[in-house]
Each structure stands twice: as structure tokens, then as C-alpha cells.
């Protein structure tokens, strides 16, 4: 806070020199935004000049896998800036013009791997718009082009990949509205993080508007043979025709989730909440692109058991998309709040028994990850991260999500749920469309929720600026999972056969708990017996399949290897890939890992490729 205040005073003082005494509302707002912390992952200098609106005109070419376009930005400067800086990575810039179309001589700085390059455009105090004519190559890291009979293109911009398909000020603290006109091959549907079409346009041209200002990491585009099904008055799903019916059934409760979310933390401001089921190569579970969550098809389980992911992405409509982490060092403000909110939605819609089972699984995952990260780099277990000079992707661990969650749960348990909900409601409403950093949040917390006694009681500093999990981490308890634990113990001790285990009565969380908590080496015979009794290799639940395949690798359970290979070749969700390849490596089955990876790699998105190359020793 101290730092922010000094910065604010400095900025106000500097600006004071040539500003009239009475400031317009717009100027006041601008000065307020000057509090922006420096983002080490962007070349933009928003305190000098920043974008406010994007007009994007682009053509998507599947033949050459390129996007050619022009990005015209409305800009706002402090009046004395001589240049505006954009981020770009591997883009080919053809020309840059300002205002009435006069070409200007731009310059492109040195490239630093994941950062890309600064694009410097000369401006004067009078410059209103900057147009960048460019081409985005087939190799653009944000994009995945799916080949074959059903061509598909999708983008993944978070954390700093927006700059690989649009030159932009790629920092979460800089928001802009946008209009887009996109031409795609005839017969394909185009969707963005904006108002969306529900049917194919005959000429392949689509227009989009996003009238609420968003940061660049929420820019998104998908193009493909995509069908549409309405769910409720404000909700719908999009998916390829082969999946649309299944998807509509799986996500039929989306409107209920939305209603529950609104009654918890205030009005949904983005008008519609739709979900697009992407090809299985999507590297994440979900991505909270405003108005249109992008989701992996691996959450289609046939029994609606994996909708927590939808609750999560929906929750980001408040935590993240309304109140946005200032830099990637504050990532926990996006994800920790979102996991907390997700849990509250799950509790409201499915009951506390279900949400507490999820919380137990979360706690177990967190404990493991904390101990792994403590061995590698203990500082990465702090909620407040220090990612300067590193790829922000390195900070995207369970710490932000789940240590963040347990910290907020501790606050809830300390002050009581009613008080905490009032606090969160006003946190979201008073910080809407604003940027939040960890220090500002701590201030906000101290002014609005915790007195100094409570600050000490919760051990705020240890949680935010300290390693590991503090002693006062809330404990979670689920009697249903206790009973799974009992079955597990008896099975492992040889006192119970698979036929004694009530597997068929168990829901996904119970099955996952059972498989995830088996000892690593349970033996081939036990694997055979379980598979015979429950046909786990044939399960349609990808979370259950994932833990089972991990056990299969540990136990050399070869009957599951065909499914393992099929899974790894078709699914590109990094959360599944990393532990499976790592387990093969750890158990002297690296050859199998290499053989599978050689087939699968071409199907993966760049963010998964980067991680797997590193893990399997293919990184340059
Ligand atoms: N915003 C994240 C995905 C993300 C984070 C992409 C960082 C790139 C960089 C999204 O909301 C998310 O957290 N997805 C999770 C699912 C969730 C249920 C924990 C995922 O993809 O696994
Ligand atoms: Zn998230």
C-alpha cells in the first residue's frame, strides 16, 4: 500500500503541472488507473499511453493456417507521450498508421522468448487511433488448428498468449472494449468472447461486440462446424454436431448455476453465459472467456458429475473478469476467489455433502502439490508470487487455486459466513471493472473485514507472504469419504474383495478418492480384480479414468495400455498429460512415453507441448 500511495502521489503531482485545477471525470478515472503496478510481463507503458477500444478486422485462412488482420485501437495518452507500446510475439507487421491513415514508422524491439517483442508506435498528444496491419503465422502459440474433415480453430490467450494472435497491450490491468469483423470459410461458425451468432452466416462474415471493457487475456476466437442449443433464458451450449446433444444434456443445469451465483454475489453483468465445448486438444479444463466459457469435452461424463468446472468458469464472471488480478503475481486473486465461489455455487445447487467431498479432494491435491513445490522452490508456495523474468505459466499451480481457497475459507470461518458474504458482495461491486493487486486486497480486507486482532488471528502474513500451508488451515471432513477410506483400508489389507466394495453406489468423488488413495504399488492381481469387478478401464468418466491409468502405469497393468495410449493421443488437457507421462518416466517406462508422445505431440496445443517437451527431455 505504501508503495501504491507514493506512486499515486507522484503521478498526481506530475500531472498537476499542466492540468487544469478542475479535473473532468474522465481524467479522475485516468488518474485512479495510474495506480497500476508495473507488469513485468508486458512491454506496454499504460501510464504513458494505453488502449481503450479495439476494432479488429480479420480473415481466418485454414489453408495456410494464418490470420491476416488489422487491429485499430482507440488510445488515450497523458498528452506528452511520444510513443505507445504494444506487445507482440512472432507476428508479421505489414504497416502501422494513425488517425486518418498516414503511415508511421514503427519499430520492433528485441525478442525475449515467452515475452515476445515490443512494438513501438510514434504518437503525438493529438493521436486518437493506431491501426496495425499484420499477419499471424501458423505457429502462433495461442492457436490450435485442428485438421481433417472437421477443421477447427481455437485460441487460448491466458496468460500472455493474446500477443501471439493480436498485437495488444497484453497486461491484465489494461482493459478495452472491442468490435470485431471476422471472415471465415463458408459453412463454419465463428464465436468470440462477445455477443455471438447462433447460426452460420452464409457469407462467412461475422460481427462481434464486447461492450464491457476486458483485459487482453480474455480475447478469444473459435471457428468450426459448431451447433447451438439453448439451455435457459441466459444460457446455451455450443459444440460440434456429434457432441451437441450430449453436451446439452450434461450442462442442462447451467441456468441453475447462474441463478445460484447471482444470489450469492450479485448481478451477472455479462448478459449471457454460454459454453463452447472445444476439441479434446484444448489444453485446459476450462477458460473463462467472457460470455462464452471454453471447455474441454472431457467433462462430458454422461452423468453431470463434472459440472464443478462450469461453476468454476462461471464464478470467474465475477472473480477475474470483473475484479481482475493486476499482474500474474496476483493470480491467486483470480483463481483462489474463483475456487471459493465455485465451492459455494456447488454447495448451493448440490448440497454441502457434495461440496465437502470436493473440498476433501481439493485438500488432498493441495497437500501433495505443496510438498512438491516446497522441494523445488518454496517461494512458489506463497500466494503472492514473484514471476519477474519467468514465464507466468510457472506460477499457475494449485497454490493460487487451492491455498487461495483455504485462505478464503479460513476468513469465512473466522468472521462467520453472513459477514463474509456481505464483504464479498461489496468487494465485487465496488471493484467492478477494476484491477486488484495483493497489497490493495490486504488493505481492503483490513478496512472492511478484519481488525488488527483478527489479522493476527488468521495469520494473514503467513498465508499471503509465507511458504506452505499455515497451521490454522481449515480442516474439511466428509463422512461419505470416511466410509470410502474404510473400504480402501480393508481392500489394501486384503480383508475385502472388490465384490465387497460398493463401487456401483458411489458417485464420481468417492470413486476418485478410492483410486487416488490406493498405494502406488497395489499389484497386478488387484488391478485385474478391480477391473473385472468395475470395468474401470472402460469408464466414461475421464477423471476416474485418469487416476486409474496412473495406477495402471504404476502397476504395469498392461490391459489398460491401449486405452492409455488412446487417451493420450486424443486428449490434450495438460492436467491429465503431465502426471501420466511423469509416471511413465518415474517407473522406467520412458520408452513407452516417447512412443506415445511421438504420435500425440502434433495434436497438442503449444502450452501442453512446452510442458511435455520439458518433462520428457525434448526442450531445446
Ligand atoms: N483461467 C483458468 C485457466 C488458465 C489459467 C489458463 C492460467 C491459462 C493460464 C481456468 O479458469 C481454470 O482454472 N481452469 C481449470 C479448471 C478449474 C475447475 C480448476 C483447468 O483448466 O483445469
Ligand atoms: Zn480458473
Amino acid at each position: 500500500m505504501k508503495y501504491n500511495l507514493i506512486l499515486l502521489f507522484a503521478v498526481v503531482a506530475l500531472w498537476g503541472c499542466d492540468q487544469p485545477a478542475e479535473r473532468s471525470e474522465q481524467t479522475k478515472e485516468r488518474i485512479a488507473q495510474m495506480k497500476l503496478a508495473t507488469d513485468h510481463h508486458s512491454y506496454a507503458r499504460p501510464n504513458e499511453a494505453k488502449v481503450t477500444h479495439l476494432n479488429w478486422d480479420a480473415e481466418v485462412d485454414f489453408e495456410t493456417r494464418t490470420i491476416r488482420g488489422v487491429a485499430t485501437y482507440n488510445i488515450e495518452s497523458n498528452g506528452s507521450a511520444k510513443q505507445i507500446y504494444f506487445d507482440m510475439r512472432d507476428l508479421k507487421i505489414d504497416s502501422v498508421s494513425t488517425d486518418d491513415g498516414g503511415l508511421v514508422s514503427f519499430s520492433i524491439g528485441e525478442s525475449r522468448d515467452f515475452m515476445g517483442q515490443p512494438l513501438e508506435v510514434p504518437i503525438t498528444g493529438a493521436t486518437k487511433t493506431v491501426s496495425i496491419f499484420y499477419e499471424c503465422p501458423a505457429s502462433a502459440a495461442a492457436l490450435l488448428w485442428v485438421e481433417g474433415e472437421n477443421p477447427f480453430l481455437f485460441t487460448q490467450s491466458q496468460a500472455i498468449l493474446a500477443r501471439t494472435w493480436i498485437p495488444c497491450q497484453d497486461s491484465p490491468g489494461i482493459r478495452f472494449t472491442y468490435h470485431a469483423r471476422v471472415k471465415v470459410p463458408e459453412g463454419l461458425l465463428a464465436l468470440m468472447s462477445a455477443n455471438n451468432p447462433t447460426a452460420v452466416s452464409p457469407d462467412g462474415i461475422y460481427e462481434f461486440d464486447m461492450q464491457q471493457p476486458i483485459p487482453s487475456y480474455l480475447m478469444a476466437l473459435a471457428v468450426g462446424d459448431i451447433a447451438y442449443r439453448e439451455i435457459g433464458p441466459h444460457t446455451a451450449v455450443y459444440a460440434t454436431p456429434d457432441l451437441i446433444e450430449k453436451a446439452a444434456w450434461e450442462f442442462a443445469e447451467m441456468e441453475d448455476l447462474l441463478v445460484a451465483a447471482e444470489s450469492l454475489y450479485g448481478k451477472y453483468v455479462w448478459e449471457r453465459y454460454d459454453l463452447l465445448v472445444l476439441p479434446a486438444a484444448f489444453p485446459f479444463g476450462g477458460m473463462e472467456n467472457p460470455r462464452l466459457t471454453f471447455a474441454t469435452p472431457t467433462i462430458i461424463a454422461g452423468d453431470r458429475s463434472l459440472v464443478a468446472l462450469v461453476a468454476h468458469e462461471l464464478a470467474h464472471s465475477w472473480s477475474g473478469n470483473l475484479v481482475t488480478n493486476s499482474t500474474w503475481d496476483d493470480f491467486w486473486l483470480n483463481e483462489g476467489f474463483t475456487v471459493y465461489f465455485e465451492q459455494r455455487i456447488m454447495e448451493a445447487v448440490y448440497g454441502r455433502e457434495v461440496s465437502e467431498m470436493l473440498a476433501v479432494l481439493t485438500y488432498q491435491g493441495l497437500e501433495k502439490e505443496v510438498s512438491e513445490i516446497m522441494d523445488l522452490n518454496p517461494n512458489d508456495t506463497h500466494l503472492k508470487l514473484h514471476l519477474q523474468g519467468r514465464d507466468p505459466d510457472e506460477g499457475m499451480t494449485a497454490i493460487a487455486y487451492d491455498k487461495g481457497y483455504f485462505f478464503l475459507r479460513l476468513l469465512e470461518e473466522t468472521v462467520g459466513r453472513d459477514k463474509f458474504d456481505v464483504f464479498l458482495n461489496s468487494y465485487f461491486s465496488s471493484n467492478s471493472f477494476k484491477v486488484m493487486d495483493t497489497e490493495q486486497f490486504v488493505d481492503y480486507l483490513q478496512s472492511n473485514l478484519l481488525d488488527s486482532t483478527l489479522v493476527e488471528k488468521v495469520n494473514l502474513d503467513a498465508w499471503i507472504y509465507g511458504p506452505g500451508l499455515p497451521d490454522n488451515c481449515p480442516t474439511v471432513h466428509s463422512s461419505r469419504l470416511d466410509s470410502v477410506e474404510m473400504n480402501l483400508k480393508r481392500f489394501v489389507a486384503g480383508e475385502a474383495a472388490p465384490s465387497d466394495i460398493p463401487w456401483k453406489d458411489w458417485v464420481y468423488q468417492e470413486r476418485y478418492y478410492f483410486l487416488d488413495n490406493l498405494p502406488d504399488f497395489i499389484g497386478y492381481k488387484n488391478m485385474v480384480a478391480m477391473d473385472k469387478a468395475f470395468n474401470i478401464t472402460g469408464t466414461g468418466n475421464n477423471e476416474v479414468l485418469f487416476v486409474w491409468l496412473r495406477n495402471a502405469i504404476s502397476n504395469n497393468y498392461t490391459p489398460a495400455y491401449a486405452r492409455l495410449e488412446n487417451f493420450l493421443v486424443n486428449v490434450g488437457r495438460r492436467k491429465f498429460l503431465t502426471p501420466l507421462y511423469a509416471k511413465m518416466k518415474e517407473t522406467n517406462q520412458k520408452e513407452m512415453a516417447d512412443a506415445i508422445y511421438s504420435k500425440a505431440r502434433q495434436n497438442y496445443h503449444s502450452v501442453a507441448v512446452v510442458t511435455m517437451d520439458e518433462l520428457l527431455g525434448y526442450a531445446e
Side-chain angles (χ1 to χ4, degrees):
M1 180 58 195
K2 238 188 282 153
Y3 176 72
N4 282 330
L5 261 185
I6 292 169
L7 202 71
L8 180 64
F9 286 141
V11 165
V12 171
L14 273 176
W15 272 50
C17 307
D18 52 11
Q19 295 290 315
E22 277 298 301
R23 294 198 175 86
S24 69
E25 278 309 307
Q26 197 191 8
T27 310
K28 278 189 211 150
E29 174 66 14
R30 241 191 270 166
I31 292 172
Q33 289 289 322
M34 294 289 159
K35 280 197 285 185
L36 276 186
T38 311
D39 177 1
H40 298 292
H41 293 109
S42 169
Y43 295 108
R45 300 183 193 173
N47 294 343
E48 297 172 12
K50 68 175 189 217
V51 302
T52 58
H53 178 80
L54 164 65
N55 194 352
W56 191 57
D57 196 336
E59 179 161 359
V60 174
D61 184 349
F62 276 83
E63 302 274 295
T64 57
R65 298 183 163 196
T66 51
I67 300 179
R68 290 188 64 84
V70 47
T72 298
Y73 285 103
N74 295 4
I75 66 165
E76 218 174 70
S77 84
N78 63 5
S80 57
K82 299 275 184 292
Q83 307 68 27
I84 181 165
Y85 291 88
F86 297 90
D87 296 291
M88 57 174 263
R89 192 180 134 194
D90 301 333
L91 297 177
K92 188 171 158 282
I93 307 293
D94 295 326
S95 63
V96 178
S97 62
T98 54
D99 294 334
D100 49 10
L103 293 184
V104 294
S105 60
F106 60 93
S107 69
I108 296 173
E110 204 184 309
S111 176
R112 286 196 280 141
D113 38 22
F114 54 85
M115 286 284 290
Q117 298 152 292
L119 167 64
E120 183 186 320
V121 177
I123 54 167
T124 68
T127 309
K128 296 268 178 301
T129 67
V130 172
S131 296
I132 307 165
F133 297 77
Y134 74 101
E135 186 175 307
C136 152
S139 59
L143 306 186
L144 191 89
W145 300 85
V146 179
E147 292 240 47
E149 243 178 83
N150 296 308
F152 204 104
L153 164 69
F154 67 82
T155 63
Q156 168 56 43
S157 297
Q158 199 183 9
I160 56 169
L161 299 180
R163 66 189 69 176
T164 72
W165 64 288
I166 307 178
C168 58
Q169 292 192 316
D170 200 5
S171 175
I174 304 172
R175 306 179 87 93
F176 53 92
T177 50
Y178 76 84
H179 172 83
R181 181 181 180 278
V182 183
K183 184 165 181 0
V184 306
E186 277 170 31
L188 299 186
L189 189 72
L191 301 170
M192 291 192 79
S193 48
N195 65 324
N196 275 306
T198 58
V200 166
S201 142
D203 59 2
I205 296 174
Y206 296 89
E207 304 236 8
F208 304 90
D209 278 298
M210 170 42 78
Q211 286 170 345
Q212 287 111 321
I214 60 165
S216 57
Y217 78 89
L218 296 176
M219 289 299 297
L221 171 71
V223 181
D225 180 9
I226 299 169
Y228 170 85
R229 282 281 181 291
E230 199 180 287
I231 301 280
H234 309 92
T235 49
V237 289
Y238 291 91
T240 49
D242 57 319
L243 283 180
I244 191 71
E245 291 303 334
K246 277 188 186 159
W249 188 87
E250 198 81 24
F251 307 122
E253 297 155 338
M254 258 165 60
E255 191 83 22
D256 303 342
L257 300 176
L258 178 60
V259 169
E262 283 195 303
S263 67
L264 280 164
Y265 299 124
K267 193 175 160 28
Y268 180 78
V269 305
W270 307 91
E271 294 170 33
R272 293 201 54 84
Y273 180 73
D274 298 335
L275 180 142
L276 166 64
V277 178
L278 287 176
F282 185 52
F284 296 106
M287 178 64 214
E288 66 272 25
N289 299 130
R291 298 179 71 121
L292 184 67
T293 282
F294 281 17
T296 170
T298 60
I299 54 168
I300 300 181
D303 60 5
R304 298 181 182 161
S305 58
L306 303 178
V307 296
L309 186 133
V310 181
H312 178 95
E313 305 312 334
L314 169 65
H316 272 305
S317 308
W318 288 258
S319 43
N321 299 3
L322 267 190
V323 186
T324 308
N325 54 203
S326 171
T327 71
W328 302 115
D329 286 348
D330 308 297
F331 184 55
W332 78 278
L333 293 177
N334 272 18
E335 297 299 343
F337 276 71
T338 298
V339 174
Y340 178 81
F341 195 164
E342 164 198 347
Q343 278 287 115
R344 293 295 303 276
I345 296 172
M346 291 305 288
E347 182 182 327
V349 177
Y350 302 100
R352 180 125 176 131
E353 193 174 60
V354 166
S355 64
E356 285 300 271
M357 285 198 285
L358 289 169
V360 171
L361 296 180
T362 299
Y363 184 79
Q364 289 199 334
L366 176 61
E367 262 194 321
K368 275 187 218 161
E369 203 156 327
V370 165
S371 80
E372 279 168 29
I373 303 175
M374 282 301 278
D375 291 342
L376 294 170
N377 184 355
N379 289 343
D380 285 349
T381 65
H382 301 192
L383 285 177
K384 171 80 187 190
L385 295 169
H386 297 280
L387 296 168
Q388 182 172 7
R390 298 163 70 193
D391 187 334
D393 205 42
E394 289 181 33
M396 323 255 120
T397 70
I399 298 301
Y401 288 82
D402 302 333
K403 184 180 176 183
Y405 164 70
F406 280 104
F407 174 55
L408 295 173
R409 183 166 165 146
L410 172 67
L411 297 182
E412 178 207 305
E413 291 179 3
T414 305
V415 302
R417 181 170 276 193
D418 291 348
K419 211 168 162 191
F420 194 53
D421 280 351
V422 170
F423 168 79
L424 282 183
N425 263 286
S426 63
Y427 173 73
F428 290 128
S429 63
S430 56
N431 296 297
S432 275
F433 296 104
K434 295 210 177 111
V435 166
M436 183 65 62
D437 67 26
T438 302
E439 293 70 24
Q440 267 171 285
F441 172 69
V442 167
D443 275 352
Y444 190 87
L445 193 62
Q446 286 176 304
S447 330
N448 295 284
L449 192 70
L450 302 182
D451 59 23
S452 54
T453 320
L454 287 180
V455 166
E456 242 171 71
K457 185 171 173 219
V458 300
N459 209 352
L460 188 99
D461 281 339
W463 276 92
I464 294 182
Y465 304 109
L469 271 185
D471 297 339
N472 62 346
C473 183
T475 50
V476 275
H477 184 251
S478 154
S479 45
R480 270 169 74 174
L481 293 182
D482 286 348
S483 136
V484 175
E485 177 72 31
M486 222 178 59
N487 278 282
L488 175 75
K489 289 217 168 85
R490 293 183 54 229
F491 178 69
V492 171
E495 295 159 18
S499 54
D500 302 323
I501 295 168
W503 181 270
K504 66 173 188 335
D505 304 328
W506 283 350
V507 296
Y508 140 69
Q509 291 87 345
E510 291 162 303
R511 293 176 177 186
Y512 188 98
Y513 182 98
F514 184 86
L515 296 177
D516 193 37
N517 285 283
L518 283 173
D520 241 11
F521 303 104
I522 142 142
Y524 193 90
K525 263 201 199 145
N526 276 323
M527 293 294 290
V528 173
M530 279 193 284
D531 212 8
K532 187 157 175 263
F534 317 132
N535 182 24
I536 314 179
T537 304
T539 178
N541 185 305
N542 287 294
E543 293 282 348
V544 172
L545 179 65
F546 158 71
V547 260
W548 174 248
L549 292 175
R550 214 185 50 205
N551 295 341
I553 298 166
S554 301
N555 292 284
N556 258 286
Y557 179 60
T558 49
Y561 281 12
R563 182 99 205 253
L564 170 68
E565 173 165 342
N566 188 276
F567 185 74
L568 289 173
V569 169
N570 290 300
V571 174
R573 188 173 172 189
R574 186 167 63 175
K575 173 184 114 161
F576 294 150
L577 306 185
T578 309
L580 292 175
Y581 283 115
K583 188 57 91 181
M584 287 187 254
K585 203 171 128 182
E586 182 192 313
T587 55
N588 293 320
Q589 302 176 84
K590 172 78 168 41
E591 270 176 32
M592 175 163 74
D594 288 334
I596 297 176
Y597 189 49
S598 72
K599 292 185 203 163
R601 189 177 186 272
Q602 66 197 26
N603 299 338
Y604 296 162
H605 185 276
S606 78
V607 308
V609 167
V610 168
T611 310
M612 294 326 120
D613 276 0
E614 172 86 33
L615 174 68
L616 298 173
Y618 297 105
E620 288 141 27

